Amino acid sequence: LAAGVDDETWLHHLHRGEYSRWFRKTIKDPSLADEAEIVEKDRAQSAKESRERILAAIDQRYTKPA
């Protein structure tokens, strides 16, 4: 779903801390939430960079190796 969100919307939710909150409360993955919080606090990065970092964290935990 993250790939289909425009940059403005992505950054809006990112800067409000909504991704980490969702990972913590809904997905119930505190380590993913912690990693997302680090990304959310780094305001110097672009939407593309932050999206890639969060998607990499998700893939690392939830994508089965080939």
Side-chain angles (χ1 to χ4, degrees):
L1 293 171
V5 176
D6 65 88
D7 289 351
E8 183 179 348
T9 301
W10 173 264
L11 290 174
H12 170 78
H13 293 291
L14 182 81
H15 294 155
R16 292 179 52 148
E18 293 177 0
Y19 300 121
S20 62
R21 189 169 30 258
W22 185 65
F23 296 144
R24 192 174 313 284
K25 303 224 184 254
T26 303
I27 304 300
K28 307 230 185 290
D29 187 333
S31 78
L32 178 58
D34 291 345
E35 195 164 341
E37 267 184 38
I38 293 167
V39 176
E40 289 167 341
K41 290 177 182 177
D42 183 357
R43 299 285 179 121
Q45 65 192 332
S46 69
K48 181 180 186 290
E49 292 166 326
S50 61
R51 190 185 331 251
E52 287 173 354
R53 287 176 65 190
I54 289 181
L55 289 175
I58 294 167
D59 285 345
Q60 193 174 45
R61 288 166 177 78
Y62 293 102
T63 302
K64 190 174 180 178

